[in-house]
Amino acid sequence: DADVTQTPRNRITKTGKRIMLECSQTKGHDRMYWYRQDPGLGLRLIYYSFDVKDINKGEISDGYSVSRQAQAKFSLSLESAIPNQTALYFCATSGTRLNEQFFGPGTRLTVL
Amino acid sequence: GQQVMQIPQYQHVQEGEDFTTYCNSSTTLSNIQWYKQRPGGHPVFLIQLVKSGEVKKQKRLTFQFGEAKKNSSLHITATQTTDVGTYFCVSGGSYIPTFGRGTSLIVHP
């Protein structure tokens, strides 16, 4: 079984809709991250959480919110989706001093 | 996180040729990590460099960290089709990673 899972894997939605992307991990890591990937722009950090009670904005948090329901679960919400939020979204975890990031398989989101 | 610039954005090579991607920062980096993302996949950690002038090898891959800790490089010797993908350098201090934009390697058989 995969250590970091993301649901859904693909989603097509319309402008203005509320969308939630979910991430679960079985690695027992405290640190969790949400990124978006756009062609040619690398991965940009949206939000990160160092434990259940700690939530921090990343580089591009506008238009997004998150919830850390448990150590193993970190959800990303788009309250009112817009077309420029069309992207590939990755969740990642980290639990070592090295801060090696372990990524989920990604969610491809299309906002029409 | 500390911003890192990565070049080139794309690199086409013939199978068997060498490949190098470069990562540069205007500030001193505490460490640098490298990741590989295969087409359609997710980034996978390759290595971390911490010390000034550090050089590490993984088979045909050689990773270097500059003496001033402001630049890093990844060199692949004799590329193979399995090397295809995007290579990212990542700066990270205080557990907040910043990704470079990546170099996409295309290997022609």
Side-chain angles (χ1 to χ4, degrees), chain B residues 31-94:
Chain B
N31 61 67
I32 194 86
Q33 295 182 340
W34 286 92
Y35 289 75
K36 176 183 179 182
Q37 183 179 22
R38 294 181 184 274
H42 57 273
V44 175
F45 176 82
L46 293 177
I47 207 161
Q48 175 168 287
L49 305 173
V50 178
K51 298 178 181 178
S52 168
E54 190 169 14
V55 178
K56 290 187 176 180
K57 293 189 176 184
Q58 291 179 352
K59 298 183 179 179
R60 296 178 294 104
L61 277 62
T62 301
F63 304 85
Q64 294 189 346
F65 203 9
E67 293 289 340
K69 300 182 70 174
K70 290 185 176 182
N71 58 76
S72 181
S73 65
L74 159 59
H75 179 83
I76 302 178
T77 303
T79 55
Q80 300 175 357
T81 54
T82 54
D83 295 324
V84 165
T86 302
Y87 294 84
F88 294 99
C89 63
V90 182
S91 71
S94 302

Side-chain angles (χ1 to χ4, degrees), chain A residues 33 37 40 48 98 101 104, chain B residues 33 35 37 42 48 95-96:
Chain A
Y33 304 79
Q37 184 174 29
Y48 60 98
L98 199 66
Q101 302 264 298
Chain B
Q33 295 182 340
Y35 289 75
Q37 183 179 22
H42 57 273
Q48 175 168 287
Y95 301 120
I96 305 171

